[in-house]
Amino acid sequence: MPVSVSVPFVDLRAQYAQIREEIDDQVREVLDGAAFVHGPQVESFEEAFAAFVGVRHAIGVANGTDALLLALKALGVGPGDEVITAANTFIATAEAIIHAGARPVFVDIDPRTYTLEVAHVERVITPSTKAVIPVHLYGQPADLAPILAVTGPRGIAVIEDAAQAHGAVYRKRRVGSWGQAACFSFYPGKNLGAYGDAGAIVTDDEGIAVAVQRLRDHGSVEKYRHDRLGYNSRLDTLQAAVLRVKLPYLEEWNRRRQERAGWYDALFRGVPDIITPAVADWGSHVYHLYVIRLEQGSRDGLRVYLARNGIQTGIHYPTPLPDVDVLAPYVQNRGEFPVATACARTILSLPMYPELARAQVEYVVEQVAAYLAARE
Ligand SMILES: *Cc1c(COP(=O)(O)O)cnc(C)c1O
């Protein structure tokens, strides 16, 4: 295939093209109504999203990072508390813990699923542990049942970070319906993405729902009556309208991601030294990212080679969080994350989105194989 064939990492324009009329209609309705904050589309999306996840409440907020922060605040997490999370995740998970005033306690990941290693969780629990944030990384649910078995009896909350796993199923129920609360991001590139920043907290707990509704709006009980200090972290009406249009397509888009992952898996079977993503038997994988691992050879060399051949890739993430400089002052247990450290050096995220063409997937695998064959 010629070098001019370009495979972008994601293609948000291709998706908009499919739903342009519906989106434009709904956006126009918001513009005509001019209720840009607290418009009726917000509640409409919240109801639809809660039903989709299978919980009683969804509360829209400004972004996924705020969703985590407000969930922690609603649960009363603050100074002196510890919150356990995975060593390999986006920095937002740790930022939210620190901004809540608590300390992140990292645990290593499972090399098969890249999610938090459950066996380590129990080992780092102390009397100060207030919550655990399992991250459903790359679109695969973390193993929630054993985490809940350890935390439940001790009164430790579980907050799912589902920012990469909209619609993924864990043991017959969707992620987001397992913890005391769960947090979603609708950043444009996520499986369900807005046209700007947006996020949500979902929960079955009425108390958490009410607390988050107030926290996102300056701690307001009603206009100009505040029961605590809060934030300005509301979900924009425009973003809610976009999300309401897109939500019914999410399952089909996830199915198409799974189909493309199947193409990659099958084509890579003939390529030595490449480890394709494993799907744990406890649930489904919705492939927010399709992440391979190189058994030998240079991941960075491969990345440069693919870029030269018109293929965009990513690394999620290049540095385990305990080794990120700005987090160092908050980390107690540095240097005990051999799996996360090894993965950070060898993982590579390949192009993945619902509109990716079969020929593009074939071209990516061909180029990976060509690089590996030419190595020696
Ligand atoms: C995207 C993401 C977030 C943060 O969401 P924003 O909407 O970008 O603030 C948090 N956690 C994980 C795992 C993410 O991928």
Side-chain angles (χ1 to χ4, degrees), residues 16 65-66 138 164 194 216 226 230 255 297 310 317 326-327 335 338 360:
Y16 174 52
T65 311
D66 279 5
Y138 307 152
Q164 301 189 359
R216 71 173 171 181
H226 314 274
R255 198 197 56 73
Y317 295 89
V326 293
L327 293 176
Q360 290 176 300

Side-chain angles (χ1 to χ4, degrees), residues 63-66 68 89-90 92-93 135 137 161 163-164 185-187 190 197-198 317:
N63 54 69
T65 311
D66 279 5
L68 289 161
T89 171
F90 182 49
T93 319
V135 183
L137 200 70
D161 183 339
Q164 301 189 359
S185 163
F186 306 118
Y187 181 79
K190 300 283 162 91
D197 281 305
Y317 295 89

Side-chain angles (χ1 to χ4, degrees), residues 321-338:
L321 290 186
D323 296 326
V324 170
D325 285 343
V326 293
L327 293 176
Y330 308 97
V331 182
Q332 303 258 298
N333 48 346
R334 287 197 111 194
E336 296 161 33
F337 312 94

